[in-house]
Amino acid sequence: MADDSIAVVDLDRCQPDRCSYECANYCPPNRTGKECIVTRGEYYEDDEPYDGGPDQIRISEEVCLGETCGICVEKCPFDAIEIINLPTELQEDPVHRYGENSFALYGLPVPESGAVTGILGPNGIGKTTAVRALAGEMVPNLGDYGREATWDAVLDRYRGTELQNYIERVRREDVTIARKPQYVDQIPKQFDGVTSDLLNSTDERGKLDEYVDRLGIAPVVDQPLDTLSGGELQRVALAATLSRDRDFYFLDEISPYLDIGQRVTAARLIRELAEEEDKAVLAVEHDLAILDLLADTLHIAYGEPGAYGVVTDPKSVRNGINEYLKGYLSNENMRIRPDEIEFHEHAPRETAKSKPLIDYPDLSKSYGDGEFSLDVEGGTIYKSEVLGIVGPNGIGKSTLAKMFAGALEPDEGELNFTLDIAYKPQYIEIDQPMRVDTFLSSITDDFGTSYWKTEVANPLQLGRIMERNLDDLSGGERQRVAIAATLSEDADLFVLDEPSAHLDVEQRVQATTAIRRYAENHDATVMVIDHDIYMIDLLADRLMVFDGEPSVEGHAGTPQEMRAGMNDFLSDLDITFRRDERTQRPRINKPGSQLDSKQKKQGEYYYSPN
């Protein structure tokens, strides 16, 4: 194989007991007598058994013909093989490779004291590997997995670069790390007790009380962790991480389950930690508006998830995000996406107001004895529109969705329309050992057709998880399956509650495209509840804005046009956005800045004044 190609075998998918070794039997080098694809057998490396079962395959990258052949990829019935031509611009060896036919990481991010370093890229691209190396938990092998890795070799590799001083500290074991996990819903499974017990155990800087107050989690500190919502767990995890006194902080997604106001507060706390305490912070974030506000520099991560990942040199945040949206990295001369992501200054299409789908009356719903109440102004939802629903957490958005879906009855007002409604809830609970393809095929007769693959499966990247069980999926994989299941139903109205949660940026773009295209191609009406401003901006034709006092009372206004709706929504939060001059993407203004003050004075919270 050429030096710029790698072969990857997914050992979780390689099932020799269920195939006839089609990959080896059809391999051209094998058929000429060469040993390209062979079984692992009793193969040993440095006196240790090699990863994988003895009947699973291994591919010789020296003999393989590369991606131009690809016969084994096509013949494997379990999609376990990838033959990938690496970018020609990728001149150096990997920073780390896990073994033969295994994942390879190229490049490392550069933590900087007193600054927040952002990483933008898909899941499965090597971010965890990079953090483990930067934390000193593993020694990168520089691609030579057959030899013992040493920090001296790593230091020689990065001598004279921005990473040299940091790696010297890691070699001396002089770096401590605090981590905020990606999936906060797993915290109650790892820590059994009251929230305050967890938080108090992390208060190493004397800042815990301030974080509890500013993050608004005082009402839950005396509650058991397993009773907290996703948003409460996210804020507890953030407070616990920032309270530590460490050299290096790794924050893996701060935005899931948080509303835009809570996201901005979290970003401000993280920036204060870096600037005032001179700490190095590395943040992975998929909400581009928050990443723009949060980071000082930005690394783009690209490649093939699960096969190889490349971390670029640091870029300015503005240029890095713009290049990502454009799909082309200038310095690297690398196209990472075929199409540019485009934003619109106004709603992307006119609403067909002559064709109402639903006229609904004023509604109200209360819980318990004055525990929470929601009032909804009556309005109209039109055919073939995407209606965005925005507002703080705990304000009644999911309650409205459940009333429209028929899962809740309003106390006042009647929803007597006879519509078929497909509903994806906010929290996805899938605990049955059913395969993904079995589950989806039970929902639609279109399953497996070229139409369904093009419209639903391919944009949501379902191909590689079809044979897995639902209860084995990650949070992001479950989200994509849930979106697919909802869009696969035969319905008049599709209600999606937080479809962006746990999706990386690329998956959000593809999910947004799938939802938008489905609505347009099928004249479908969609209601989308989400906190990601980019997703709402790309998707919605109109907005329904919620306000009130979270967990006490909520109010939903009648649907309105995008500009007016965003102004109402953001004015309540005291946050202003501007449009990037090159891409028209939404960017949060720095609070108190000249532009922030000017837009507030003009009442333009979302669109820059002319």
Side-chain angles (χ1 to χ4, degrees):
M1 185 185 289
D3 291 338
D4 58 354
S5 299
I6 61 172
V8 179
V9 178
D10 187 337
L11 298 180
D12 291 331
R13 302 180 68 87
C14 181
Q15 303 180 52
D17 57 330
R18 296 178 57 196
C19 76
S20 301
Y21 289 106
E22 290 90 342
C23 57
N25 293 334
Y26 285 94
C27 172
N30 276 26
R31 299 181 74 169
T32 63
K34 298 178 181 178
E35 291 190 344
C36 180
I37 302 179
V38 297
T39 57
R40 291 172 180 255
E42 297 302 319
Y43 177 68
Y44 284 75
E45 186 75 35
D46 293 337
D47 297 325
E48 293 293 331
Y50 195 76
D51 288 340
D55 296 328
Q56 291 181 302
I57 63 145
R58 51 186 290 262
I59 301 175
S60 170
E61 292 181 343
E62 290 73 23
V63 179
C64 180
L65 300 178
E67 193 174 0
T68 53
C69 171
I71 291 176
C72 59
V73 177
E74 295 297 324
K75 293 297 182 181
C76 176
F78 305 111
D79 198 20
I81 302 173
E82 290 187 86
I83 308 294
I84 300 168
N85 286 342
L86 298 174
T88 56
E89 295 79 8
L90 205 59
Q91 301 294 331
E92 60 185 20
D93 292 329
V95 171
H96 188 78
R97 194 167 190 190
Y98 283 95
E100 187 177 36
N101 305 150
S102 297
F103 180 86
L105 174 66
Y106 297 80
L108 286 173
V110 183
E112 182 181 350
S113 296
V116 180
T117 302
I119 302 181
L120 173 58
N123 292 325
I125 210 73
K127 296 185 291 288
T128 300
T129 299
V131 170
R132 289 188 62 209
L134 295 173
E137 297 173 358
M138 57 168 278
V139 184
N141 58 29
L142 305 182
D144 191 355
Y145 48 83
R147 294 184 181 182
E148 182 179 359
T150 67
W151 281 115
D152 288 339
V154 178
L155 186 58
D156 287 342
R157 166 81 168 266
Y158 287 99
R159 197 174 300 280
T161 71
E162 294 173 288
L163 270 172
Q164 177 182 338
N165 291 336
Y166 185 88
I167 290 174
E168 286 179 339
R169 290 188 59 193
V170 174
R171 185 179 61 164
R172 297 195 307 265
E173 298 182 355
D174 189 30
V175 174
T176 56
I177 183 171
R179 274 198 189 93
K180 190 206 78 65
Q182 179 181 15
Y183 298 116
V184 295
D185 55 340
Q186 300 299 309
I187 292 176
K189 299 178 182 179
Q190 301 167 3
F191 189 95
D192 183 20
V194 177
T195 303
S196 58
D197 293 338
L198 171 65
L199 290 172
N200 290 333
S201 69
T202 67
D203 190 16
E204 299 170 355
R205 299 172 45 242
K207 303 277 285 185
L208 178 61
D209 290 343
E210 177 186 346
Y211 290 148
V212 167
D213 178 59
R214 292 177 65 180
L215 289 168
I217 53 177
V220 303
V221 294
D222 294 325
Q223 295 182 18
L225 278 167
D226 59 6
T227 66
L228 303 191
S229 68
E232 290 163 345
L233 281 171
Q234 187 70 264
R235 286 174 283 158
V236 166
L238 186 60
T241 305
L242 300 186
S243 294
R244 299 277 190 189
D245 187 12
R246 305 297 165 93
D247 303 306
F248 175 35
Y249 295 77
F250 174 57
L251 306 170
D252 198 347
E253 294 190 45
I254 66 170
S255 64
Y257 306 122
L258 301 188
D259 62 45
I260 183 63
Q262 293 166 340
R263 295 179 186 196
V264 170
T265 297
R268 289 172 180 168
L269 291 177
I270 294 166
R271 289 212 54 82
E272 290 171 10
L273 172 71
E275 294 171 354
E276 297 175 8
E277 304 291 336
D278 198 36
K279 300 293 188 180
V281 180
L282 184 64
V284 176
E285 181 50 55
H286 301 307
D287 183 328
L288 296 183
I290 294 301
L291 184 63
D292 196 5
L293 180 69
L294 178 67
D296 296 288
T297 58
L298 182 65
H299 296 268
I300 304 295
Y302 66 94
E304 292 287 338
Y308 81 98
V310 182
V311 179
T312 69
D313 290 335
K315 303 173 181 286
S316 73
V317 179
R318 178 176 181 269
N319 288 341
I321 293 178
N322 284 352
E323 287 183 9
Y324 175 83
L325 294 173
K326 189 176 181 180
Y328 176 74
L329 307 180
S330 299
N331 291 344
E332 292 76 15
N333 188 28
M334 171 58 55
R335 177 153 293 283
I336 60 173
R337 189 189 313 104
D339 301 313
E340 182 175 356
I341 300 171
E342 297 181 338
F343 292 87
H344 304 265
E345 187 172 354
H346 302 288
R349 58 180 174 152
E350 293 296 325
T351 302
K353 292 188 176 180
S354 60
K355 299 178 181 178
L357 176 71
I358 300 171
D359 289 311
Y360 60 92
D362 292 348
L363 304 169
S364 67
K365 179 68 179 178
S366 298
Y367 292 95
D369 185 14
E371 183 179 337
F372 176 78
S373 63
L374 170 66
D375 292 310
V376 181
E377 291 184 29
T380 300
I381 300 174
Y382 297 99
K383 292 182 179 179
S384 306
E385 79 166 334
V386 178
L387 179 65
I389 300 179
V390 295
N393 279 330
I395 208 73
K397 301 187 301 299
S398 295
T399 296
L400 177 69
K402 291 176 182 177
M403 286 195 293
F404 270 82
L408 279 178
E409 289 289 335
D411 297 331
E412 296 183 15
E414 291 188 10
L415 294 174
N416 55 8
F417 43 78
T418 56
L419 297 176
D420 291 323
I421 298 176
Y423 172 54
K424 186 203 80 66
Q426 178 181 13
Y427 299 111
I428 303 166
E429 296 183 1
I430 303 176
D431 56 3
Q432 50 186 322
M434 180 187 294
R435 283 184 19 161
V436 171
D437 52 2
T438 304
F439 170 64
L440 291 174
S441 63
S442 69
I443 295 174
T444 176
D445 293 335
D446 291 327
F447 178 82
T449 64
S450 58
Y451 147 79
W452 187 84
K453 290 179 181 178
T454 301
E455 293 285 321
V456 179
N458 292 343
L460 293 171
Q461 299 176 304
L462 300 182
R464 293 185 64 83
I465 63 173
M466 281 294 189
E467 295 183 356
R468 292 174 57 191
N469 283 343
L470 293 168
D471 53 358
D472 290 333
L473 301 180
S474 69
E477 291 165 342
R478 291 186 183 196
Q479 186 72 263
R480 282 147 48 203
V481 170
I483 295 171
T486 305
L487 294 181
S488 296
E489 294 188 41
D490 184 12
D492 303 300
L493 176 65
F494 299 83
V495 182
L496 302 170
D497 197 345
E498 286 205 51
S500 73
H502 296 310
L503 300 187
D504 63 39
V505 180
E506 193 70 28
Q507 290 165 347
R508 290 183 190 200
V509 169
Q510 291 168 332
T512 298
T513 301
I515 296 167
R516 180 87 229 178
R517 188 167 61 190
Y518 190 92
E520 292 174 347
N521 292 347
H522 298 267
D523 289 329
T525 303
V526 184
M527 295 174 64
V528 177
I529 302 170
D530 213 281
H531 297 299
D532 188 315
I533 294 296
Y534 278 53
M535 175 171 267
I536 291 293
D537 190 80
L538 286 166
L539 269 177
D541 299 306
R542 295 191 302 155
L543 282 185
M544 180 186 292
V545 180
F546 280 67
D547 56 20
E549 184 178 351
S551 302
V552 178
E553 57 92 16
H555 170 263
T558 191
Q560 53 188 316
E561 297 303 321
M562 281 287 292
R563 184 166 187 158
M566 274 298 182
N567 277 333
D568 283 353
F569 172 50
L570 295 174
S571 63
D572 286 341
L573 297 172
D574 200 34
I575 297 170
T576 62
F577 278 76
R578 67 189 183 279
R579 292 277 179 174
D580 185 86
E581 295 177 358
R582 289 174 52 193
T583 65
Q584 292 298 303
R585 67 181 173 89
R587 303 184 68 193
I588 299 176
N589 290 321
K590 184 177 180 180
S593 66
Q594 183 177 359
L595 187 55
D596 178 64
S597 301
K598 181 180 179 180
Q599 288 185 218
K600 287 176 179 176
K601 184 176 180 180
Q602 297 190 1
E604 295 285 359
Y605 284 77
Y606 192 55
Y607 299 95
S608 299
N610 295 326

